[in-house]
Amino acid sequence: MVMKRERSGGSRGGEEQTDEAADDCSASCDLAHGCCAPDGSCRCDPGWEGLHCERCVRMPGCQHGTCHQPWQCICHSGWAGKFCDKDEHICTTQSPCRNGGQCVYDGGGEYHCVCPLGFHGRDCEHKAGPCEQAGSPCRNGGQCQDDNGYALNFTCRCLAGFVGARCEVNVDDCLMRPCANGATCLDGINRFSCLCPEGFAGRFCTINLDDCASRPCQRGARCRDRVHDFDCLCPSGYGGKTCELVLPVPDPTTTADSPLGPTSAVVVPATGPVPHSVGAGLLRISVKEVVRRQEVGLGESSLVAVVVFGALTAALVLSTVLLTLRAWRRGICPPGPCCYPPPHYAPARQDQECQVSMLPAGLPLPPDLSPEPGKTTAL
């Protein structure tokens, strides 16, 4: 029972303290501009501030003023303007006019300066220098600078893309030839553009357009991109630009009866009269056929084969002629009763005649070369 009394006594003490704080807040807080919080503090309404909400909030930016209601700016003595930032005694305390200008007060904190000859500006800060005398000499948006008129000469600060004393020259942005692949460069003001030829794109015309992107090749052929063109590697049996043509299949019988190709050469055994040249007797080439095939057109490998074959034949004929002439000069005779005439041209026997044949031994003689009765043939 004692503890319960103590606890109830403590609760009564806290309630008494809260009531006292509430009584103090009600007595000190300006209830017209705020209210008391449960903790006993004074909470101000918008536009009021202070410990007891006793001050109004001035207009933001107000410098030399006060307020009676929130968001006011009531200027102090000697100040004017919306934000009380203009000195009403500006012309008397410290004149803002420069270069001997006279300050005139216009009221409400405003003034103007009467500038002497050769000067201008709100505070007579600008001198009639080279820029004013030249009458805006800078072109193409250039800014004239003469150190507020105190410089001896003016200078022009040019915009990007222009140069010159008065910014009169437009820089040629195509001078470095930025466009590639034969594109036409068009100069602008601090810029350029490239007129790309067909097959190219991009700012500098460096992108080769993929002509195979639309998949123009048919029959499953592989497409090879070119400059504004394409090639199709057609499979066997198809042709055309996009492999759209079906090539005819060659007839085997027609192929067997077709004339010889460009590299064909005909070798015919010598069945007629045997000539005196050994090389001419070994091979006989159908020259007419070769010439006809050359007119049609030979391939590179076929042409090389024909040239080599002809060179070998010519070398064989030439060596045979040389050997024959050498044997003739030395007077070499084959064994037998007949012989070439000796160096002293001894009279030959009247009952003997000599014949020389270039045929190999053991071959039958043609009818027109058979020995007549009473004559000997040296083989």
Side-chain angles (χ1 to χ4, degrees):
M1 296 294 294
V2 176
M3 294 182 64
K4 289 183 179 180
R5 289 179 181 177
E6 290 178 355
R7 289 179 180 176
S8 60
S11 301
R12 290 176 181 176
E15 292 176 357
E16 291 177 356
Q17 292 178 358
T18 304
D19 294 339
E20 292 178 359
D23 294 339
D24 294 340
C25 176
S26 299
S28 60
C29 183
D30 189 351
L31 298 180
H33 305 138
C35 61
C36 293
D39 58 354
S41 61
C42 188
R43 294 184 178 180
C44 301
D45 295 335
W48 296 91
E49 61 182 0
L51 182 61
H52 305 290
C53 303
E54 74 279 5
R55 295 194 309 268
C56 60
V57 178
R58 298 183 300 172
M59 181 184 7
C62 184
Q63 296 184 12
H64 304 282
T66 184
C67 64
H68 300 300
Q69 296 294 329
W71 325 121
Q72 289 182 344
C73 186
I74 302 174
C75 297
H76 299 306
S77 177
W79 295 95
K82 182 178 181 180
F83 301 98
C84 301
D85 56 345
K86 300 182 181 299
D87 188 3
E88 293 182 344
H89 307 287
I90 188 170
C91 289
T92 57
T93 55
Q94 185 178 358
S95 176
C97 301
R98 299 167 55 184
N99 299 310
Q102 182 180 359
C103 181
V104 178
Y105 185 68
D106 296 331
E110 300 293 337
Y111 71 94
H112 71 274
C113 294
V114 179
C115 302
L117 184 64
F119 295 91
H120 63 280
R122 174 177 172 79
D123 296 331
C124 304
E125 72 276 12
H126 297 294
K127 181 181 178 183
C131 285
E132 185 175 348
Q133 294 174 4
S136 302
C138 301
R139 301 170 55 185
N140 298 310
Q143 182 181 1
C144 185
Q145 297 177 338
D146 60 358
D147 192 17
N148 292 328
Y150 292 95
L152 296 178
N153 298 308
F154 68 86
T155 57
C156 291
R157 185 178 180 181
C158 304
L159 296 177
F162 295 95
V163 293
R166 301 194 178 190
C167 308
E168 71 279 6
V169 180
N170 178 21
V171 177
D172 187 4
D173 299 288
C174 294
L175 190 62
M176 300 303 295
R177 298 181 180 178
C179 303
N181 296 310
T184 302
C185 183
L186 303 178
D187 180 41
I189 299 177
N190 195 32
R191 67 184 63 191
F192 67 90
S193 59
C194 294
L195 186 60
C196 302
E198 292 184 347
F200 292 95
R203 174 175 171 80
F204 304 100
C205 301
T206 54
I207 302 175
N208 180 19
L209 296 179
D210 188 7
D211 298 285
C212 293
S214 60
R215 298 181 179 179
C217 300
Q218 305 178 21
R219 319 289 184 182
R222 186 169 66 90
C223 182
R224 182 173 58 187
D225 180 42
R226 298 175 61 188
V227 178
H228 193 51
D229 199 2
F230 64 91
D231 290 332
C232 292
L233 304 180
C234 302
S236 178
Y238 298 98
K241 179 66 177 177
T242 59
C243 305
E244 73 281 4
L245 302 178
V246 179
L247 301 180
V249 179
D251 190 358
T253 58
T254 307
T255 306
D257 297 337
S258 62
L260 298 176
T263 58
S264 301
V266 179
V267 180
V268 181
T271 58
V274 180
H276 295 284
S277 174
V278 176
L282 294 178
L283 297 173
R284 186 172 66 187
I285 306 174
S286 178
V287 179
K288 182 178 180 180
E289 180 69 17
V290 174
V291 172
R292 187 177 68 83
R293 293 300 178 181
Q294 287 181 348
E295 291 178 355
V296 175
L298 295 176
E300 184 178 356
S301 59
S302 302
L303 183 60
V304 172
V306 172
V307 171
V308 172
F309 188 77
L312 293 177
T313 304
L316 180 60
V317 173
L318 181 59
S319 61
T320 303
V321 172
L322 292 178
L323 291 175
T324 304
L325 292 177
R326 183 177 179 184
W328 178 271
R329 290 182 179 179
R330 291 186 179 181
I332 300 177
C333 296
C338 297
C339 179
Y340 290 106
H344 298 288
Y345 301 97
R349 295 174 58 180
Q350 296 181 359
D351 57 348
Q352 294 182 356
E353 293 181 1
C354 293
Q355 286 186 351
V356 179
S357 176
M358 301 304 294
L359 292 176
L363 293 178
L365 295 177
D368 55 349
L369 294 182
S370 301
E372 299 179 359
K375 295 183 181 181
T376 306
T377 303
L379 297 176

